[in-house]
Amino acid sequence: MKVKIQIVVESDNGDSQVVQEIMQISRGALQPENLGLKLAEAKTLLQSLQHALAEQQVAEYSLQQESCLHCSKKLLHKDKRTIVYRTLFGKLHLQCPRLFHCPCQEQPTRSFNPIANLLPERTSRELLYLESKFGSLMSYGLSAKLLQEVLPIEGEINTTAIRNNLHTIGQRLEDELGEEKGGYIEGCPRDWDELPRPDLPLVLGMDGGYVRSYDKKSLSKGNFEVIVGKSIKADGTSKRFGGVYSYDTKPQRRIFEVLKSQGMQMNQQVTFLSDGDEKIRELQLYLNPNAEYLLDWFHITMRLTVMNQTAKGLSKKDTELDTDIPKELERIKWYLWHGNLFRALQLIKDLVDDLEIVIFDGNSRIELKKLFKMVREFESYISNNGSYIPNYGERWRNGEAIATGFVESTVNQVISKRFVKKQQMRWTPKGVHLLLQVRILVLNEELESKFQQWYPGFRVDSQPSQELSQVA
């Protein structure tokens, strides 16, 4: 059996018709392996169809441009050039005539290339979209292999092209952000009272992670910090954001735009959660007049748990203390849970003093010194963040946010899966920052809508026409 595949191209008025054969398929006796199309045949078919269709489109468009738009006079040809246009189904080498401008209108140049002017970007939007999407989700090398496996672009795509195109998209997203300001609280309280009744509070949590730096000359430059966060509405919908702390020039603007896209009003309450890091806290300031800033309960309990495990490894004989350290740590946790900062700090200070006396008397056990150091650091941690410690128990009973467990998962999803875990690659701050902007759009399921905003015709005709559906 032989199958011939042809395309029929008709003019808009139906006067002319072009029939072109693009592929032949031969089949012998039916076997499981030759039923239907094979992947290689499908790729060849798509590539042939792409070339034939593009050739007809370029020829028709060039014919339309051969006359002056003002006086309809036929334009003179200067020469022909070939431009390369990268698509999902292979590279197109388009023959583009260059024309002289008509003298009836003054022009900045003597000649122009209609096709080149129509295609200022040499990569199709569909290919750019897929390169950006897969390049943000997996390594550039795997992205190139995946696209070459399923599309007829073997040898026509490489990791450098994917990376450069993704960085271009990331830079375009950066350029669209407004300028950084000292504060983003707009209007006055009198105007806020006239705003519509706001939704329930927004909850925003932030945390940091580290990525291997390309610069290995010093230990201080071995890693650099990436700050990511997540904002959650009362209905459960959420948005992620992030950036490289040392590179990002618009961190507060980025957070504000995320909150604004979720419908934040100046009369709406926003709960900011963080681990107590001063630089993260500074990023959260002056974004909303009704904001509350809380120390994350998760990070308090994490420190207490580590100290408790260390204390359990010590016997009373080892510590020479009459105090039951695990019991004291449990009391400290209870007071912090109920927001009694004064009493909690008293117990922590007493514990620091007791441990210091034992160590001063000559007990040199490493575990004891380690515990003493952790308790002393915990005292500083609670003292420095005391104004951000609420009554966690009351908030928990009222169903309000107290912890940033959702941010820990966000750090893993945004940073670890792409940059850290099982990855030996080293990065530049700029490369990570631009890649993050695209990756976050993909995770927020907003990349396609952003492409549609940039390119109004992108994926508008994704459904087949009614006539083709009837034929099928």
Side-chain angles (χ1 to χ4, degrees), residues 374-411:
M374 287 191 291
V375 175
R376 192 169 55 180
E377 289 177 350
F378 186 66
E379 181 185 19
S380 300
Y381 179 72
I382 296 299
S383 298
N384 295 336
N385 293 283
S387 58
Y388 308 115
I389 296 179
N391 187 327
Y392 293 104
E394 183 180 357
R395 290 182 62 89
W396 180 75
R397 287 188 293 272
N398 292 327
E400 299 179 68
I402 62 172
T404 58
F406 63 92
V407 182
E408 297 299 321
S409 64
T410 303
V411 171

Side-chain angles (χ1 to χ4, degrees), residues 139-145 157-165:
S139 70
Y140 298 132
L142 285 177
S143 301
K145 289 179 181 179
I157 188 172
N158 54 62
T159 57
T160 303
I162 294 178
R163 182 194 62 198
N164 292 342
N165 287 333

Side-chain angles (χ1 to χ4, degrees), residues 144-364:
K145 289 179 181 179
L146 173 63
L147 293 175
Q148 291 184 91
E149 185 71 23
V150 298
L151 297 173
I153 51 177
E154 289 86 354
E156 299 178 359
I157 188 172
N158 54 62
T159 57
T160 303
I162 294 178
R163 182 194 62 198
N164 292 342
N165 287 333
L166 187 142
H167 284 185
T168 301
I169 297 297
Q171 189 60 53
R172 185 169 182 177
L173 293 170
E174 283 293 288
D175 295 339
E176 287 185 351
L177 277 178
E179 294 298 324
E180 185 81 332
K181 299 191 299 184
Y184 294 87
I185 298 175
E186 303 169 345
C188 67
R190 181 183 60 187
D191 299 330
W192 302 336
D193 294 337
E194 298 177 0
L195 292 173
R197 182 178 178 180
D199 294 331
L200 292 174
L202 290 166
V203 178
L204 186 143
M206 299 173 60
D207 205 346
Y210 289 88
V211 175
R212 294 186 183 92
S213 174
Y214 77 102
D215 190 348
K216 300 185 291 182
K217 294 181 180 179
S218 65
L219 293 176
S220 61
K221 294 183 179 180
N223 298 284
F224 56 86
E225 188 173 13
V226 177
I227 294 177
V228 299
K230 192 175 188 179
S231 177
I232 303 178
K233 295 178 65 176
D235 59 5
T237 58
S238 62
K239 284 192 175 183
R240 304 160 189 82
F241 60 90
V244 176
Y245 182 76
S246 60
Y247 179 84
D248 194 359
T249 59
K250 306 175 182 179
Q252 279 197 304
R253 169 64 72 176
R254 196 179 314 283
I255 301 171
F256 178 75
E257 292 298 334
V258 170
L259 293 171
K260 191 175 179 181
S261 68
Q262 292 185 300
M264 182 190 72
Q265 302 175 169
M266 289 295 108
N267 62 343
Q268 184 175 2
Q269 186 178 358
V270 181
T271 301
F272 290 97
L273 295 165
S274 69
D275 61 355
D277 193 325
E278 185 177 353
K279 59 178 173 292
I280 292 181
R281 187 91 67 197
E282 290 176 353
L283 294 178
Q284 299 173 343
L285 297 175
Y286 313 118
L287 295 174
N288 185 284
N290 298 306
E292 59 176 350
Y293 306 93
L294 305 180
L295 180 64
D296 172 31
W297 176 250
F298 170 79
H299 284 85
I300 294 177
T301 57
M302 183 173 62
R303 289 171 180 257
L304 286 168
T305 300
V306 174
M307 289 188 292
N308 193 40
Q309 293 296 327
T310 304
K312 287 180 178 179
L314 296 170
S315 64
K316 288 187 177 181
K317 183 179 179 181
D318 293 328
T319 60
E320 299 176 4
L321 280 174
D322 295 330
T323 306
D324 187 346
I325 299 178
K327 186 177 180 180
E328 288 300 303
L329 291 174
E330 190 64 29
R331 293 179 64 197
I332 293 170
K333 182 177 180 180
W334 189 88
Y335 281 119
L336 289 173
W337 173 255
H338 291 285
N340 193 338
L341 179 66
F342 176 76
R343 187 71 180 117
L345 283 174
Q346 277 187 328
L347 293 177
I348 298 172
K349 188 177 185 307
D350 291 343
L351 188 55
V352 169
D353 292 340
D354 291 342
L355 290 170
E356 188 174 17
I357 291 172
V358 173
I359 293 174
F360 183 78
D361 289 342
N363 193 323
S364 59

Side-chain angles (χ1 to χ4, degrees), residues 27 29-38 41:
R27 287 288 186 271
L30 179 62
Q31 297 292 331
E33 57 270 13
N34 66 11
L35 178 62
L37 279 175
K38 299 178 183 178
E41 293 172 339

